[in-house]
Amino acid sequence: MAIICMARQVAAMGDEISAEVAKLLGYKFITRKDIEARIVSLGFPKEKLHKYDEVKPGFFASLAKDRDEYLDYLQTAILEAASDGNCVLIGRGSSFVLNDLPNMISFRFVADHGTRLERLEKEFNFTEKQAQQRIDESDANRKGFHKSFFNADAEDPANYHLVINSGKMDIKSAAALIVSIVEANVTPDLEDAGRKKVGEMLLAQKLVNSLVFEHKININFLRALVIDKKIVLQGIADSSAVVEKALVLAQKAYPDYKIESAVSVVQDFKTYK
């Protein structure tokens, strides 16, 4: 059970290489559209998707509760896919969501500027100016998306196991290299540890979703962390009563776990709706 996470620049052949990797390994390829569809099916309004889905949120969008809800649904969709194992996920910050999984291997695809321009001009019949605008917009959005939701630099090579220049390698060569890395590094022990960890992460995310969407608990930036048989709630609330209610509901939902709070109580803390 290996989890492969892919990130890419526009016109760096990321989707094509990812599809080839999934084919060679017999893994499920989780595409951008698959993640989008799951986010909507979980309950996020389709008409609001364009504000957050791998774009840099505008000022007011970044302060709205919709932003936090989108992140909850996004993480749920990614964790669900990872819990099935043997999959290739592309984009949407999947490598940052799954960074703690010992059986996750991440790659990023780049290409030189001239190659990216040429590919866009050929694929979309763009002028050079149009291709440049597409590159500038995409690069800014992806950088802003990762900074806003994960406080991470998507362009930092230290965030990935390997960065591949698709201007120097063809699709099949890049895919074969990735397969060899996965097969050499994901051991049965790492698979077992990864399976356990992703199960804990999904349990924590489902608890958060239940508290926020079902019980309407008003704790901003609510997160849950599972440590063995303990669940720790994190976030910001404007009253101790809200925190206590969350603890009671969590304990009822998961009676076999010890529930603790690391939620900060800040009077008059508000977010935009």
Side-chain angles (χ1 to χ4, degrees):
M1 178 180 131
I3 311 299
I4 306 173
C5 294
M6 308 295 205
R8 75 285 193 217
Q9 293 178 321
V10 68
M13 306 299 287
D15 292 84
E16 293 85 350
I17 296 170
S18 298
E20 182 66 15
V21 170
K23 178 182 176 182
L24 291 174
L25 288 171
Y27 283 15
K28 184 175 182 180
F29 182 28
I30 311 297
T31 68
R32 170 182 63 84
K33 290 185 177 180
D34 292 329
I35 295 295
E36 287 178 357
R38 184 55 182 151
I39 290 171
V40 172
S41 72
L42 285 166
F44 193 78
K46 186 175 182 178
E47 64 273 13
K48 294 183 179 181
L49 202 62
H50 71 280
K51 294 181 180 180
Y52 304 100
D53 206 38
E54 210 164 64
V55 298
K56 178 183 179 181
F59 177 74
F60 288 106
S62 67
L63 298 177
K65 286 184 70 64
D66 287 343
R67 175 207 174 277
D68 223 28
E69 291 180 8
Y70 169 82
L71 181 57
D72 284 332
Y73 288 131
L74 171 65
Q75 292 181 150
T76 302
I78 290 173
L79 287 167
E80 285 179 343
S83 67
D84 289 336
N86 294 348
C87 64
V88 177
L89 295 120
I90 188 164
R92 302 304 180 273
S94 58
S95 63
F96 296 104
V97 174
L98 304 175
N99 186 56
D100 291 336
L101 294 187
N103 61 330
M104 187 277 287
I105 298 186
S106 58
F107 302 88
R108 184 169 189 255
F109 305 107
V110 301
D112 63 90
H113 188 67
T115 296
R116 297 172 74 195
L117 283 173
E118 182 180 344
R119 286 171 176 169
L120 288 171
E121 290 169 15
K122 182 177 180 180
E123 181 176 357
F124 298 104
N125 197 28
F126 280 169
T127 64
E128 182 176 340
K129 181 178 180 180
Q130 289 173 320
Q132 184 63 59
Q133 289 175 336
R134 178 73 179 93
I135 287 173
D136 291 342
E137 178 183 316
S138 177
D139 288 354
N141 272 330
R142 292 182 188 191
K143 186 172 184 176
F145 172 85
H146 288 87
K147 182 65 177 177
S148 175
F149 287 104
F150 307 109
N151 194 29
D153 181 2
E155 298 178 358
D156 185 351
N159 286 321
Y160 309 95
H161 289 78
L162 183 69
V163 177
I164 295 176
N165 184 344
S166 69
K168 303 294 186 182
M169 299 182 71
D170 62 29
I171 292 172
K172 290 189 178 298
S173 297
L177 174 62
I178 291 169
V179 168
S180 68
I181 292 172
V182 171
E183 291 179 339
N185 285 274
V186 181
T187 65
D189 285 346
L190 290 181
E191 290 179 0
D192 290 341
R195 188 177 293 106
K196 179 178 182 291
K197 183 64 178 180
V198 76
E200 293 175 344
M201 293 172 69
L202 186 55
L203 179 153
Q205 187 61 55
K206 287 182 175 180
L207 173 58
V208 168
N209 292 354
S210 174
L211 293 174
V212 172
F213 303 125
E214 181 181 348
H215 297 290
K216 310 299 181 184
I217 295 296
N218 189 27
I219 298 178
N220 293 282
F221 316 118
L222 179 61
R223 296 291 174 261
L225 180 65
V226 177
I227 306 172
D228 294 324
K229 297 299 290 184
K230 180 173 68 175
I231 300 176
V232 180
L233 300 182
Q234 303 171 331
I236 304 175
D238 60 7
S239 77
S240 298
V242 171
V243 178
E244 185 60 33
K245 184 177 181 181
L247 290 171
V248 170
L249 289 168
Q251 192 66 74
K252 183 178 180 181
Y254 296 100
D256 295 332
Y257 288 81
K258 180 180 180 181
I259 312 297
E260 295 183 357
S261 171
V263 176
S264 300
V265 177
V266 180
Q267 297 294 330
D268 299 323
F269 181 84
K270 303 293 182 184
T271 58
Y272 289 92
K273 295 184 178 180

